[in-house]
Coordinates of all heavy atoms in Angstrom, one line a residue:
M46 N 27.3 4.4 26.6 CA 26.2 4.6 25.7 C 26.5 5.8 24.8 O 27.0 6.8 25.2 CB 24.9 5.0 26.5 CG 23.7 4.9 25.8 SD 22.2 5.2 26.7 CE 22.2 3.9 27.9
P47 N 26.2 5.6 23.5 CA 26.5 6.7 22.5 C 25.7 8.0 22.8 O 24.6 7.9 23.4 CB 26.1 6.1 21.2 CG 26.0 4.6 21.4 CD 25.7 4.4 22.8
T48 N 26.2 9.1 22.3 CA 25.5 10.4 22.5 C 25.2 10.9 21.2 O 25.9 10.8 20.2 CB 26.5 11.3 23.2 OG1 26.8 10.8 24.5 CG2 25.8 12.7 23.5
L49 N 24.0 11.5 21.1 CA 23.5 12.2 19.8 C 23.3 13.6 20.1 O 22.5 14.0 21.0 CB 22.2 11.5 19.4 CG 21.6 12.0 18.1 CD1 22.4 11.8 16.9 CD2 20.2 11.3 18.0
H50 N 23.9 14.5 19.4 CA 23.7 15.9 19.5 C 22.9 16.4 18.3 O 23.3 16.1 17.2 CB 25.0 16.7 19.6 CG 25.8 16.4 20.8 ND1 25.6 17.0 22.0 CD2 26.8 15.5 21.0 CE1 26.4 16.5 22.9 NE2 27.2 15.6 22.3
I51 N 21.9 17.2 18.5 CA 21.1 17.8 17.4 C 21.2 19.3 17.5 O 20.9 19.9 18.6 CB 19.7 17.3 17.5 CG1 19.6 15.8 17.5 CG2 18.8 17.9 16.4 CD1 18.3 15.2 17.7
R52 N 21.5 19.9 16.4 CA 21.7 21.4 16.4 C 20.5 22.0 15.5 O 19.9 21.3 14.7 CB 23.0 21.8 15.7 CG 24.2 21.4 16.6 CD 25.4 21.9 16.0 NE 26.6 21.6 16.8 CZ 27.7 21.0 16.3 NH1 27.8 20.8 15.1 NH2 28.6 20.7 17.2
N53 N 20.3 23.2 15.7 CA 19.3 24.0 15.0 C 17.9 23.4 15.0 O 17.2 23.4 14.0 CB 19.8 24.1 13.5 CG 21.2 24.8 13.4 OD1 21.4 25.8 14.1 ND2 22.0 24.3 12.5
V54 N 17.5 23.0 16.2 CA 16.1 22.6 16.4 C 15.2 23.8 16.4 O 15.5 24.8 17.1 CB 16.0 21.8 17.7 CG1 14.5 21.4 17.9 CG2 16.9 20.6 17.7
P55 N 14.2 23.8 15.6 CA 13.3 25.0 15.6 C 12.7 25.2 17.0 O 12.4 24.2 17.7 CB 12.2 24.6 14.6 CG 12.9 23.6 13.7 CD 13.8 22.9 14.5
K56 N 12.6 26.5 17.3 CA 12.1 26.8 18.7 C 10.7 26.2 19.0 O 10.5 25.7 20.1 CB 12.0 28.4 18.8 CG 11.7 28.8 20.2 CD 11.7 30.3 20.4 CE 11.4 30.6 21.8 NZ 11.5 32.1 22.0
D57 N 9.8 26.3 18.0 CA 8.5 25.7 18.3 C 8.5 24.2 18.5 O 7.8 23.7 19.4 CB 7.5 26.1 17.2 CG 7.9 25.5 15.8 OD1 9.1 25.5 15.5 OD2 6.9 25.1 15.1
L58 N 9.3 23.5 17.8 CA 9.5 22.1 18.0 C 10.1 21.8 19.3 O 9.6 20.9 20.0 CB 10.4 21.5 16.8 CG 10.6 20.0 16.9 CD1 9.3 19.2 16.9 CD2 11.5 19.5 15.8
H59 N 11.1 22.5 19.7 CA 11.7 22.4 21.0 C 10.7 22.5 22.1 O 10.6 21.8 23.1 CB 12.9 23.3 21.2 CG 13.6 23.2 22.5 ND1 13.2 23.9 23.6 CD2 14.7 22.5 22.8 CE1 14.1 23.5 24.6 NE2 15.0 22.7 24.1
E60 N 9.9 23.6 22.0 CA 8.9 23.9 23.0 C 7.8 22.7 23.1 O 7.4 22.4 24.1 CB 8.2 25.2 22.7 CG 9.1 26.4 23.0 CD 8.6 27.7 22.5 OE1 7.5 27.7 21.8 OE2 9.2 28.7 22.8
R61 N 7.4 22.2 21.9 CA 6.4 21.1 21.9 C 7.0 19.9 22.5 O 6.3 19.2 23.3 CB 6.0 20.9 20.4 CG 5.1 22.0 19.9 CD 5.0 22.0 18.4 NE 4.4 20.7 18.0 CZ 4.4 20.3 16.7 NH1 5.0 21.0 15.8 NH2 3.8 19.1 16.4
I62 N 8.2 19.6 22.2 CA 8.8 18.4 22.9 C 9.0 18.6 24.4 O 8.7 17.7 25.2 CB 10.2 18.1 22.2 CG1 10.0 17.7 20.8 CG2 10.9 17.0 23.0 CD1 11.3 17.5 20.0
Q63 N 9.3 19.8 24.8 CA 9.5 20.1 26.2 C 8.1 20.0 26.9 O 8.0 19.4 28.0 CB 10.0 21.5 26.4 CG 10.5 21.8 27.8 CD 11.2 23.2 27.8 OE1 10.9 24.1 27.0 NE2 12.1 23.3 28.7
A64 N 7.1 20.4 26.2 CA 5.7 20.3 26.8 C 5.3 18.8 27.0 O 4.7 18.4 28.0 CB 4.7 21.1 26.0
L65 N 5.6 18.0 25.9 CA 5.3 16.6 26.0 C 6.1 15.9 27.2 O 5.5 15.1 27.9 CB 5.7 15.9 24.7 CG 4.7 16.1 23.5 CD1 5.3 15.5 22.3 CD2 3.4 15.3 23.9
A66 N 7.4 16.3 27.3 CA 8.2 15.7 28.3 C 7.6 16.1 29.7 O 7.5 15.2 30.6 CB 9.6 16.2 28.2
Q67 N 7.2 17.3 29.9 CA 6.7 17.7 31.2 C 5.4 17.0 31.5 O 5.1 16.6 32.6 CB 6.5 19.2 31.2 CG 7.8 20.0 31.3 CD 7.6 21.5 31.2 OE1 6.5 22.0 31.0 NE2 8.7 22.2 31.5
S68 N 4.5 16.9 30.4 CA 3.2 16.2 30.7 C 3.4 14.7 31.0 O 2.5 14.2 31.6 CB 2.3 16.4 29.5 OG 2.8 15.6 28.4
R69 N 4.5 14.1 30.6 CA 4.7 12.7 30.9 C 5.7 12.5 32.0 O 6.2 11.4 32.2 CB 5.1 12.0 29.6 CG 4.0 11.9 28.6 CD 4.5 11.4 27.2 NE 3.4 11.1 26.3 CZ 2.8 12.0 25.6 NH1 3.1 13.3 25.7 NH2 1.8 11.7 24.8
N70 N 6.1 13.6 32.7 CA 7.1 13.5 33.8 C 8.4 12.9 33.3 O 8.9 12.0 34.0 CB 6.5 12.8 35.0 CG 5.4 13.5 35.6 OD1 5.4 14.7 35.6 ND2 4.4 12.8 36.0
R71 N 8.9 13.3 32.2 CA 10.2 12.8 31.6 C 11.1 14.0 31.4 O 10.7 15.1 31.3 CB 10.0 12.1 30.3 CG 9.2 10.9 30.3 CD 9.1 10.3 28.9 NE 8.3 9.1 28.9 CZ 7.5 8.7 27.8 NH1 7.6 9.4 26.7 NH2 6.8 7.6 27.9
S72 N 12.4 13.7 31.3 CA 13.3 14.7 30.9 C 13.2 14.9 29.4 O 12.7 14.0 28.7 CB 14.8 14.2 31.3 OG 15.1 13.1 30.5
M73 N 13.8 15.9 28.9 CA 13.8 16.2 27.5 C 14.5 15.0 26.8 O 14.1 14.5 25.8 CB 14.5 17.5 27.1 CG 13.7 18.7 27.3 SD 12.5 18.9 26.0 CE 13.6 19.5 24.7
S74 N 15.6 14.6 27.3 CA 16.4 13.5 26.7 C 15.6 12.2 26.7 O 15.5 11.5 25.6 CB 17.7 13.2 27.5 OG 18.6 14.3 27.4
A75 N 14.9 11.9 27.8 CA 14.1 10.7 27.8 C 12.9 10.8 26.8 O 12.6 9.8 26.1 CB 13.5 10.4 29.2
Q76 N 12.3 11.9 26.7 CA 11.2 12.1 25.7 C 11.7 12.0 24.3 O 11.1 11.3 23.5 CB 10.6 13.5 25.9 CG 9.4 13.8 25.0 CD 8.3 12.8 25.2 OE1 8.0 12.4 26.4 NE2 7.6 12.4 24.2
V77 N 12.9 12.6 24.0 CA 13.4 12.5 22.6 C 13.8 11.0 22.3 O 13.5 10.5 21.2 CB 14.6 13.4 22.4 CG1 15.3 13.2 21.1 CG2 14.1 14.9 22.5
I78 N 14.4 10.3 23.2 CA 14.7 8.9 23.0 C 13.5 8.1 22.8 O 13.4 7.3 21.9 CB 15.5 8.4 24.2 CG1 16.9 9.0 24.2 CG2 15.6 6.8 24.2 CD1 17.7 8.7 25.5
N79 N 12.4 8.4 23.5 CA 11.2 7.6 23.4 C 10.6 7.9 22.0 O 10.1 7.0 21.3 CB 10.2 8.0 24.5 CG 8.9 7.3 24.4 OD1 8.0 7.7 23.7 ND2 8.8 6.2 25.1
M80 N 10.6 9.2 21.6 CA 10.1 9.5 20.3 C 10.9 8.9 19.1 O 10.3 8.5 18.1 CB 10.0 11.1 20.1 CG 9.0 11.7 21.1 SD 9.1 13.5 21.2 CE 8.5 13.9 19.6
L81 N 12.2 9.0 19.2 CA 13.1 8.4 18.2 C 12.8 6.9 18.1 O 12.8 6.3 17.0 CB 14.5 8.7 18.5 CG 15.0 10.1 18.2 CD1 16.4 10.3 18.7 CD2 14.9 10.4 16.7
S82 N 12.7 6.2 19.3 CA 12.5 4.8 19.3 C 11.2 4.5 18.6 O 11.1 3.5 17.8 CB 12.4 4.3 20.7 OG 12.2 2.9 20.8
S83 N 10.1 5.2 18.9 CA 8.8 5.0 18.2 C 8.9 5.2 16.7 O 8.3 4.5 15.9 CB 7.8 5.9 18.8 OG 7.5 5.6 20.2
A84 N 9.6 6.3 16.3 CA 9.7 6.6 14.9 C 10.5 5.5 14.2 O 10.1 5.1 13.1 CB 10.4 7.9 14.7
V85 N 11.5 4.9 14.8 CA 12.3 3.9 14.2 C 11.5 2.6 14.0 O 11.5 1.9 13.0 CB 13.6 3.6 14.9 CG1 14.3 2.3 14.5 CG2 14.6 4.8 14.8
E86 N 10.7 2.3 15.1 CA 9.9 1.1 15.0 C 8.8 1.2 13.9 O 8.5 0.3 13.2 CB 9.2 0.9 16.4 CG 10.1 0.4 17.4 CD 9.4 0.3 18.8 OE1 8.2 0.4 18.9 OE2 10.2 0.0 19.8
E87 N 8.2 2.4 13.8 CA 7.2 2.7 12.8 C 7.8 2.5 11.4 O 7.2 1.9 10.5 CB 6.6 4.0 12.9 CG 5.6 4.2 14.0 CD 5.0 5.6 14.1 OE1 4.9 6.2 13.1 OE2 4.7 6.0 15.2
E88 N 9.0 3.0 11.2 CA 9.7 3.0 9.9 C 10.1 1.5 9.6 O 9.9 1.1 8.4 CB 11.0 3.8 9.9 CG 11.7 3.9 8.6 CD 10.8 4.6 7.5 OE1 10.0 5.4 7.8 OE2 11.0 4.2 6.3
E89 N 10.5 0.7 10.5 CA 10.8 -0.7 10.3 C 9.5 -1.4 9.9 O 9.5 -2.3 9.0 CB 11.5 -1.3 11.5 CG 12.9 -0.8 11.8 CD 13.5 -1.3 13.1 OE1 12.7 -1.7 14.0 OE2 14.7 -1.1 13.2
L90 N 8.4 -1.1 10.6 CA 7.2 -1.8 10.3 C 6.7 -1.4 8.9 O 6.2 -2.3 8.2 CB 6.1 -1.4 11.4 CG 4.7 -2.0 11.2 CD1 4.8 -3.5 11.3 CD2 3.8 -1.4 12.3
R91 N 6.9 -0.1 8.5 CA 6.5 0.3 7.2 C 7.3 -0.4 6.1 O 6.7 -0.9 5.1 CB 6.7 1.8 7.1 CG 6.1 2.4 5.9 CD 6.3 4.0 5.9 NE 5.5 4.5 7.0 CZ 6.1 5.3 7.9 NH1 7.4 5.6 7.9 NH2 5.4 5.8 8.9
E92 N 8.6 -0.6 6.4 CA 9.4 -1.3 5.4 C 9.0 -2.8 5.3 O 9.0 -3.3 4.2 CB 10.9 -1.2 5.8 CG 11.5 0.2 5.6 CD 13.0 0.2 6.0 OE1 13.6 -0.8 6.2 OE2 13.5 1.4 6.1
S93 N 8.7 -3.4 6.5 CA 8.3 -4.8 6.5 C 7.0 -4.9 5.7 O 6.9 -5.9 4.9 CB 8.1 -5.2 7.9 OG 7.6 -6.5 8.0
R94 N 6.0 -4.1 5.9 CA 4.8 -4.1 5.2 C 5.0 -3.9 3.7 O 4.4 -4.6 2.9 CB 3.8 -3.1 5.7 CG 3.3 -3.4 7.1 CD 2.3 -2.3 7.5 NE 1.8 -2.6 8.8 CZ 1.3 -1.7 9.6 NH1 1.2 -0.4 9.2 NH2 0.8 -2.0 10.8
S95 N 5.9 -3.0 3.4 CA 6.2 -2.8 2.0 C 6.7 -4.0 1.3 O 6.4 -4.3 0.2 CB 7.2 -1.6 1.9 OG 7.5 -1.4 0.5
K96 N 7.6 -4.7 2.0 CA 8.2 -5.9 1.4 C 7.1 -7.0 1.3 O 7.1 -7.7 0.3 CB 9.3 -6.5 2.3 CG 10.6 -5.6 2.2 CD 11.7 -6.1 3.1 CE 12.9 -5.2 3.2 NZ 13.9 -5.7 4.1
I97 N 6.3 -7.1 2.2 CA 5.2 -8.1 2.2 C 4.2 -7.8 1.0 O 3.9 -8.7 0.3 CB 4.4 -8.2 3.5 CG1 5.3 -8.8 4.6 CG2 3.1 -9.0 3.4 CD1 4.8 -8.7 6.0
L98 N 3.9 -6.6 0.9 CA 3.0 -6.2 -0.2 C 3.6 -6.4 -1.6 O 3.0 -6.8 -2.5 CB 2.6 -4.7 -0.1 CG 1.6 -4.4 1.1 CD1 1.3 -2.9 1.2 CD2 0.3 -5.1 0.8
A99 N 4.9 -6.1 -1.7 CA 5.6 -6.4 -2.9 C 5.6 -7.9 -3.3 O 5.4 -8.2 -4.4 CB 7.1 -5.8 -2.9
A100 N 5.8 -8.7 -2.3 CA 5.8 -10.2 -2.5 C 4.4 -10.6 -2.9 O 4.2 -11.4 -3.8 CB 6.2 -10.9 -1.2
V101 N 3.3 -10.0 -2.3 CA 2.0 -10.4 -2.7 C 1.7 -9.9 -4.1 O 1.1 -10.7 -4.9 CB 1.0 -9.8 -1.7 CG1 -0.5 -9.8 -2.2 CG2 1.1 -10.4 -0.3
R102 N 2.1 -8.7 -4.4 CA 1.9 -8.2 -5.8 C 2.6 -9.1 -6.8 O 2.1 -9.4 -7.9 CB 2.4 -6.8 -5.9 CG 1.4 -5.8 -5.3 CD 1.9 -4.4 -5.6 NE 1.2 -3.5 -4.7 CZ 1.7 -2.8 -3.7 NH1 3.0 -3.0 -3.5 NH2 1.0 -2.1 -2.9
H103 N 3.8 -9.5 -6.5 CA 4.6 -10.4 -7.4 C 3.9 -11.7 -7.6 O 3.7 -12.2 -8.7 CB 6.0 -10.6 -6.9 CG 6.8 -11.5 -7.8 ND1 6.8 -12.8 -7.7 CD2 7.7 -11.1 -8.8 CE1 7.7 -13.3 -8.6 NE2 8.2 -12.3 -9.3
R104 N 3.4 -12.3 -6.5 CA 2.7 -13.6 -6.7 C 1.3 -13.4 -7.4 O 0.9 -14.3 -8.1 CB 2.4 -14.2 -5.3 CG 3.6 -15.0 -4.7 CD 3.2 -15.6 -3.5 NE 3.2 -14.5 -2.5 CZ 2.8 -14.6 -1.2 NH1 2.3 -15.8 -0.8 NH2 2.9 -13.6 -0.4
R105 N 0.7 -12.3 -7.1 CA -0.6 -12.1 -7.7 C -0.6 -12.0 -9.2 O -1.5 -12.4 -9.9 CB -1.1 -10.7 -7.1 CG -2.5 -10.3 -7.5 CD -2.8 -9.0 -6.8 NE -4.1 -8.5 -7.2 CZ -4.5 -7.3 -6.9 NH1 -3.7 -6.5 -6.2 NH2 -5.7 -6.9 -7.3
F106 N 0.5 -11.5 -9.8 CA 0.5 -11.3 -11.2 C 1.4 -12.4 -11.9 O 1.8 -12.2 -13.1 CB 1.0 -9.9 -11.6 CG 0.0 -8.9 -11.1 CD1 0.3 -8.0 -10.1 CD2 -1.2 -8.8 -11.7 CE1 -0.6 -7.1 -9.7 CE2 -2.1 -7.9 -11.3 CZ -1.8 -7.0 -10.3
T107 N 1.8 -13.4 -11.2 CA 2.5 -14.5 -11.8 C 1.5 -15.6 -12.1 O 0.8 -16.1 -11.2 CB 3.6 -15.0 -10.8 OG1 4.4 -13.9 -10.5 CG2 4.4 -16.1 -11.4
Y108 N 1.5 -16.0 -13.3 CA 0.5 -17.0 -13.8 C 1.1 -18.4 -13.7 O 2.3 -18.6 -14.1 CB 0.0 -16.7 -15.2 CG -0.7 -15.4 -15.2 CD1 -0.1 -14.3 -15.7 CD2 -2.0 -15.3 -14.7 CE1 -0.8 -13.1 -15.8 CE2 -2.7 -14.1 -14.7 CZ -2.1 -13.0 -15.3 OH -2.7 -11.8 -15.3
A109 N 0.4 -19.4 -13.4 CA 0.8 -20.8 -13.4 C 0.9 -21.2 -14.9 O 0.2 -20.8 -15.7 CB -0.1 -21.7 -12.7
Q110 N 1.9 -22.0 -15.2 CA 2.2 -22.4 -16.6 C 1.2 -23.4 -17.1 O 1.0 -23.5 -18.3 CB 3.6 -22.8 -16.7 CG 4.6 -21.7 -16.4 CD 6.0 -22.1 -16.5 OE1 6.3 -23.3 -16.4 NE2 6.9 -21.2 -16.6
D111 N 0.7 -24.2 -16.3 CA -0.2 -25.3 -16.7 C -1.7 -25.0 -16.7 O -2.5 -25.8 -17.0 CB 0.0 -26.6 -15.9 CG -0.3 -26.3 -14.4 OD1 -0.3 -25.2 -14.0 OD2 -0.4 -27.3 -13.7
V112 N -2.0 -23.7 -16.5 CA -3.4 -23.3 -16.5 C -3.8 -22.7 -17.8 O -3.1 -21.8 -18.3 CB -3.6 -22.2 -15.3 CG1 -5.1 -21.7 -15.4 CG2 -3.3 -22.8 -14.0
P113 N -4.9 -23.2 -18.4 CA -5.3 -22.6 -19.7 C -5.7 -21.2 -19.6 O -6.2 -20.8 -18.5 CB -6.4 -23.5 -20.2 CG -6.9 -24.2 -19.0 CD -5.7 -24.2 -18.0
D114 N -5.6 -20.4 -20.7 CA -6.1 -19.0 -20.6 C -7.6 -19.0 -20.7 O -8.3 -20.0 -21.0 CB -5.4 -18.2 -21.7 CG -5.8 -18.6 -23.1 OD1 -6.4 -19.8 -23.2 OD2 -5.7 -17.9 -24.1
S115 N -8.2 -17.8 -20.5 CA -9.6 -17.7 -20.4 C -10.3 -17.9 -21.7 O -11.4 -18.5 -21.7 CB -10.0 -16.3 -19.8 OG -9.5 -15.3 -20.7
A116 N -9.7 -17.6 -22.8 CA -10.3 -17.8 -24.1 C -10.5 -19.3 -24.3 O -11.5 -19.8 -24.8 CB -9.4 -17.2 -25.2
T117 N -9.5 -20.1 -24.0 CA -9.6 -21.6 -24.1 C -10.7 -22.1 -23.2 O -11.4 -23.0 -23.7 CB -8.2 -22.2 -23.8 OG1 -7.2 -21.7 -24.6 CG2 -8.2 -23.7 -24.0
L118 N -10.8 -21.7 -22.0 CA -11.8 -22.1 -21.1 C -13.2 -21.8 -21.6 O -14.1 -22.6 -21.6 CB -11.6 -21.5 -19.7 CG -10.4 -22.0 -19.0 CD1 -10.2 -21.2 -17.7 CD2 -10.5 -23.5 -18.7
L119 N -13.4 -20.6 -22.2 CA -14.7 -20.2 -22.7 C -15.0 -21.0 -23.9 O -16.2 -21.5 -24.1 CB -14.6 -18.7 -23.2 CG -14.7 -17.7 -22.0 CD1 -14.5 -16.3 -22.5 CD2 -16.1 -17.8 -21.4
R120 N -14.1 -21.3 -24.8 CA -14.3 -22.1 -26.0 C -14.7 -23.5 -25.6 O -15.7 -24.1 -26.1 CB -13.0 -22.2 -26.8 CG -13.2 -22.5 -28.3 CD -11.9 -22.4 -29.1 NE -11.4 -21.0 -29.1 CZ -10.2 -20.6 -28.6 NH1 -9.4 -21.5 -28.0 NH2 -9.9 -19.4 -28.6
E121 N -14.1 -24.1 -24.6 CA -14.4 -25.4 -24.1 C -15.8 -25.4 -23.5 O -16.6 -26.4 -23.7 CB -13.4 -25.9 -23.1 CG -12.1 -26.3 -23.6 CD -11.1 -26.6 -22.5 OE1 -11.4 -26.6 -21.3 OE2 -9.9 -26.9 -22.9
D122 N -16.2 -24.4 -22.8 CA -17.5 -24.3 -22.2 C -18.6 -24.2 -23.2 O -19.7 -24.8 -23.1 CB -17.5 -23.1 -21.2 CG -18.7 -23.1 -20.3 OD1 -19.1 -24.2 -19.8 OD2 -19.3 -22.0 -20.1
R123 N -18.3 -23.4 -24.3 CA -19.3 -23.3 -25.3 C -19.5 -24.5 -26.1 O -20.6 -24.8 -26.7 CB -18.9 -22.1 -26.2 CG -19.1 -20.8 -25.6 CD -18.6 -19.7 -26.5 NE -18.7 -18.4 -25.8 CZ -18.0 -17.3 -26.1 NH1 -17.1 -17.4 -27.1 NH2 -18.1 -16.3 -25.4
E124 N -18.5 -25.3 -26.2 CA -18.6 -26.6 -27.0 C -19.4 -27.7 -26.2 O -19.7 -28.7 -26.8 CB -17.2 -27.1 -27.3 CG -16.5 -26.2 -28.3 CD -15.1 -26.6 -28.6 OE1 -14.6 -27.5 -27.9 OE2 -14.4 -26.0 -29.4
R125 N -19.7 -27.5 -25.0 CA -20.4 -28.5 -24.2 C -21.8 -28.6 -24.6 O -22.5 -27.8 -25.0 CB -20.3 -28.3 -22.7 CG -19.0 -28.6 -22.2 CD -19.1 -28.6 -20.7 NE -17.9 -27.9 -20.2 CZ -17.8 -27.4 -18.9 NH1 -18.8 -27.6 -18.1 NH2 -16.8 -26.8 -18.5

């Protein structure tokens, strides 16, 4: 299994992670792995949502070619 070393972790962040690990009966390594996994999943979800929203925006502003514009429709309606 690959190893990840992190240097220069701020003391307060280290203490907060350590407190979380202790409150969940995990080692520091297990807690950090859990947090990294959650962060990666959230980032992947955010990217997925972003792609979906971009596709919706693209479809939303693409007009069908055989649909008359609003001025033509208003003109036709007034002529009735």
Side-chain angles (χ1 to χ4, degrees):
M46 192 178 299
T48 301
L49 177 66
H50 294 277
I51 302 172
R52 293 186 180 129
N53 301 322
V54 176
K56 185 176 181 176
D57 63 321
L58 179 59
H59 182 273
E60 290 171 353
R61 289 167 58 197
I62 294 171
Q63 192 171 30
L65 281 172
Q67 287 176 352
S68 70
R69 290 173 171 81
N70 294 323
R71 295 181 182 150
S72 66
M73 280 283 285
S74 293
Q76 182 62 35
V77 170
I78 289 170
N79 184 273
M80 293 169 70
L81 284 172
S82 178
S83 295
V85 169
E86 287 175 11
E87 285 180 30
E88 186 63 29
E89 290 171 346
L90 183 60
R91 190 174 298 122
E92 286 180 18
S93 174
R94 287 179 180 162
S95 178
K96 288 178 185 178
I97 291 169
L98 287 174
V101 167
R102 285 187 195 108
H103 182 272
R104 277 185 283 172
R105 183 177 177 191
F106 295 111
T107 303
Y108 298 103
Q110 294 176 341
D111 60 341
V112 176
D114 65 343
S115 60
T117 304
L118 292 173
L119 284 171
R120 204 172 297 116
E121 289 175 1
D122 192 41
R123 287 179 185 154
E124 291 174 357
R125 285 193 228 166

